[in-house]
Amino acid sequence: MKIAVAVDHGGYGLKKQVLQWLSAAGHEALDLGTDSPESVDYPDFAVRLAQVVANGECEHGILVCGTGIGMSITANRVAGVRAALCTDPYMARMSRAHNDANVLCMGERVVGPGLARAIVEAFLEQPFEGGRHARRVEKIMALDREDRE
Ligand code: RB5
C-alpha cells in the first residue's frame, strides 16, 4: 500500500519510526513533513495529507501530533476522509473493520513508541468488514455530498 505520513512538531519524534515500520512491512511511504522539531501549525500538515488520501494518491494516511486531536479534527473536514484518533490497537482495528477509516491519527504525547507501532500494525492489517457497516459509512459520506450542494 502507498501510505502518506505527516506530523507536526508534537509528533516529529515518531515520524522516522513510523516511516521505518511502514518500510519494514513492505509499504511505500509518502513523507509529507514536517522535517524538523521547529514549531509548525498542524492544520497545514493534516490538510496536505487528507488531500492525497481523498484524491486517491495514497490509500491510507497516518497523522501524528501531540495528542492526535488537532490532526483528526482537521483531516475530517476534507471530503472523503475518515480519520480515526486511536490510542490502542483495538480502536485501530475497529476503525478499519467498522468505520473503514482511511487516516490513522495518534498523539506522540499520549502513546509510547511500542504502543504506536502496535496501533499502526493493527490499522494496516485489518480490512473493512463491509455489510451493515458499509451502509453506515455511506451515511457519513453522504454528509460530504450535502456539504457541497
Ligand atoms: C502542539 O503543541 C500541539 O497543540 C499539537 O501537536 C496537537 O496536540 C494539537 O492537537
Side-chain angles (χ1 to χ4, degrees):
M1 273 192 280
K2 188 169 177 189
I3 299 161
V5 178
V7 306
D8 75 350
H9 54 287
Y12 180 68
L14 262 187
K15 189 181 82 166
K16 204 190 277 182
Q17 294 176 81
V18 171
L19 293 171
Q20 281 167 357
W21 301 333
L22 292 179
S23 150
H27 300 293
E28 183 187 349
L30 175 66
D31 179 356
L32 296 175
T34 185
D35 299 316
S36 85
E38 292 292 305
S39 181
V40 291
D41 296 338
Y42 61 80
D44 299 337
F45 293 86
V47 165
R48 205 172 297 156
L49 180 137
Q51 285 168 343
V52 302
V53 172
N55 72 19
E57 190 183 333
C58 289
E59 196 169 325
H60 290 315
I62 298 176
L63 288 166
V64 189
C65 64
T67 59
I69 296 171
M71 290 296 204
S72 57
I73 291 173
T74 310
N76 277 315
R77 309 282 305 236
V78 175
V81 166
R82 294 176 298 280
L85 172 55
C86 299
T87 55
D88 62 45
Y90 176 75
M91 291 178 76
R93 266 196 306 279
M94 295 308 284
S95 78
R96 290 286 311 126
H98 286 192
N99 313 111
D100 199 16
N102 49 16
V103 174
L104 168 66
C105 302
M106 296 186 293
E108 187 187 338
R109 297 172 188 157
V110 180
V111 297
L115 184 53
R117 182 172 192 165
I119 292 170
V120 167
E121 288 173 352
F123 184 84
L124 296 176
E125 284 166 16
Q126 176 68 51
F128 178 46
E129 283 178 8
R132 67 188 185 282
H133 304 295
R135 181 180 70 243
R136 294 162 185 165
V137 170
E138 177 49 36
K139 288 185 178 184
I140 301 173
M141 294 301 96
L143 298 172
D144 284 344
R145 294 192 290 275
E146 280 170 27
D147 274 358
R148 285 202 221 106
E149 280 159 14

